[in-house]
Amino acid sequence: MNKEKEIETVTLMVRRYCRGVHGRRGGALCPACAALLEYARQRRDRCPHGDNKPFCSNCPIHCYKPEMRQQMRAVMRYAGPRMLLTHPILVLRHMAETMRRKRRNARA
């Protein structure tokens, strides 16, 4: 997944999480979610893998601070299943890419 698509997906997920968990409406993020999204963008910009980057959950390099990683996991757990209803193509692409990478890793 290229950088822009990944940032777009993370943004959608953080917005969904903030709306559902923190009750924010109208696209405005709470300060904690805004900080997490900015952190995710910075980490993605500095990723040594470039556009060949695996999903963070499958990456051998964990560049997130532990507390930010934990927050992002909570966002993914909450927003992931809900994204199937509003953005099914993104979810299907993510699932296909995950399965492809698992197959490649099993062969190696």
Side-chain angles (χ1 to χ4, degrees), residues 68-85:
M68 295 302 239
R69 191 168 177 214
Q70 187 175 9
Q71 286 178 16
M72 188 55 77
R73 258 196 224 129
V75 167
M76 297 295 169
R77 270 193 219 113
Y78 178 86
R82 289 164 177 83
M83 295 287 287
L84 189 57
L85 299 173

Side-chain angles (χ1 to χ4, degrees), residues 42-95:
Q42 289 172 359
R43 296 286 91 199
R44 181 60 181 99
D45 285 342
R46 296 179 183 152
C47 181
H49 295 291
D51 279 344
N52 295 322
K53 176 191 168 314
F55 294 117
C56 292
S57 58
N58 299 330
C59 187
I61 303 169
H62 295 297
C63 58
Y64 278 42
K65 293 178 188 173
E67 62 274 4
M68 295 302 239
R69 191 168 177 214
Q70 187 175 9
Q71 286 178 16
M72 188 55 77
R73 258 196 224 129
V75 167
M76 297 295 169
R77 270 193 219 113
Y78 178 86
R82 289 164 177 83
M83 295 287 287
L84 189 57
L85 299 173
T86 55
H87 300 286
I89 293 175
L90 284 177
V91 173
L92 293 173
R93 275 191 204 140
H94 180 77
M95 290 170 62

